Amino acid sequence: AIAITEQPVSVSVPVGYSFTLRCRAEGRTQLQYQWFCQHQSACCQIPGATKQDLPVTAQQTQLYTCRINDLHRNAVFSDWVKVEVHQCVARGLPPRLWRGEPVIVLNPTEQRVEVGKPLQLQCAAMGVPAPSYQWYRNGNLLEQQKKKKLWVTHAKVSDSGTYLCCASNSHGEHWTNAVDVHIGGETLPPAEHLQLCWSVFPSATGKIALLVGNNHYQHHPSLMAPVTDVFELSLLLEQLGFQVVSLLD
């Protein structure tokens, strides 16, 4: 008898940020709303939170849900949503005109991992609604890596490369810094690396394409999606018979 027409959405915001959680429902009788929050293992009713909109000033990471009742004692609960709070006010984030677009607050770091050991990369972004995540390696989309933490249980040599993550929501997208991951063995010095490139591409008569995707200009705003552009263009060039070398940042 009660149908929720608008679910609340998760957000990721700085401490002290004020926003509103919304819930809307339809029923055959007058409806009553009651919000609940959960922190750690305790779930409790929020006193006075009996309206469709719940004003929140972010202080700590919590879960929220809304119960809707009708006059016949029917009741339904909304989805649980997470309010993730970041301690980043001291660094001036977000800007005053922030409208909820993703802002990276934690970049992944370079990793050196032995073969067979676990590999973990982590990032975080603020956003309203909370951003979704997508990881890339050497410009290639990693289908199964769609969380803040990239996790590989048993690292292989083929997992080596340059990684970065895209955080996106309805307001836009933002990319983390690109970081190198080395699996088993040390990174080759520049001279040896160049020699290795020539051993891979020994023939000067072949069709070789060098693609460079840069998202870190000193005096220019970031581009929309250079990593994606490099990835898509490399596929096209490979179909045309090119051997492709892709470099990021």
Side-chain angles (χ1 to χ4, degrees):
I2 303 173
I4 296 179
T5 57
E6 181 179 351
Q7 295 277 5
V9 297
S10 297
V11 300
S12 182
V13 296
V15 64
Y17 185 78
S18 297
F19 60 97
T20 299
L21 292 176
R22 293 167 50 88
C23 184
R24 298 289 186 272
E26 295 178 350
R28 298 176 182 175
T29 69
Q30 182 179 354
L31 300 179
Q32 299 172 333
Y33 293 78
Q34 177 61 60
W35 289 89
F36 295 79
C37 69
Q38 179 175 345
H39 177 64
Q40 296 177 347
S41 60
C43 180
C44 59
Q45 181 174 304
I46 303 174
T50 57
K51 297 182 178 179
Q52 296 173 321
D53 294 343
L54 176 67
V56 178
T57 299
Q59 297 298 332
Q60 58 186 346
T61 297
Q62 295 187 128
L63 299 174
Y64 291 84
T65 187
C66 185
R67 184 188 66 203
I68 303 101
N69 296 76
D70 65 14
L71 299 182
H72 299 300
R73 296 186 178 181
N74 297 310
V76 296
F77 280 85
S78 72
D79 295 339
W80 281 96
V81 294
K82 184 177 184 179
V83 174
E84 186 176 29
V85 181
H86 299 277
Q87 306 292 330
C88 55
V89 168
R91 287 184 284 163
L93 293 175
R96 292 181 180 179
L97 299 180
W98 188 56
R99 293 292 180 265
E101 64 274 13
V103 175
I104 302 295
V105 295
L106 176 65
N107 278 288
T109 57
E110 181 177 346
Q111 301 287 323
R112 293 179 180 272
V113 179
E114 295 180 11
V115 173
K117 299 293 185 179
L119 165 64
Q120 178 177 296
L121 295 173
Q122 186 173 357
C123 70
M126 298 187 304
V128 181
S132 57
Y133 297 87
Q134 178 61 64
W135 287 89
Y136 294 79
R137 182 182 67 239
N138 298 334
N140 299 320
L141 184 147
L142 300 174
E143 286 287 350
Q144 305 302 319
Q145 303 292 351
K146 298 179 180 291
K147 298 182 179 180
K148 287 187 295 184
K149 290 184 179 181
L150 177 148
W151 178 260
V152 177
T153 306
H154 303 289
K156 305 182 295 294
V157 174
S158 59
D159 292 319
S160 297
T162 302
Y163 287 74
L164 78 169
C165 186
C166 178
S168 62
N169 64 11
S170 55
H171 297 290
E173 64 182 28
H174 202 167
W175 296 77
T176 67
N177 296 336
V179 297
D180 293 327
V181 172
H182 311 282
I183 310 297
E186 298 298 321
T187 305
L188 291 174
E192 295 182 31
H193 187 273
L194 182 60
Q195 184 178 4
L196 176 61
C197 288
W198 283 114
S199 68
V200 175
F201 303 115
S203 174
T205 60
K207 296 191 294 184
I208 302 174
L210 172 64
L211 301 181
V212 180
N214 187 33
N215 199 37
H216 292 277
Y217 291 98
Q218 185 175 0
H219 301 294
H220 192 281
S222 297
L223 303 178
M224 287 297 293
V227 176
T228 304
D229 294 341
V230 167
F231 172 61
E232 293 181 350
L233 188 55
S234 67
L235 293 180
L236 176 61
L237 290 171
E238 287 173 354
Q239 293 173 2
L240 297 175
F242 283 83
Q243 294 174 303
V244 181
V245 178
S246 299
L247 302 177
L248 302 177
D249 296 323

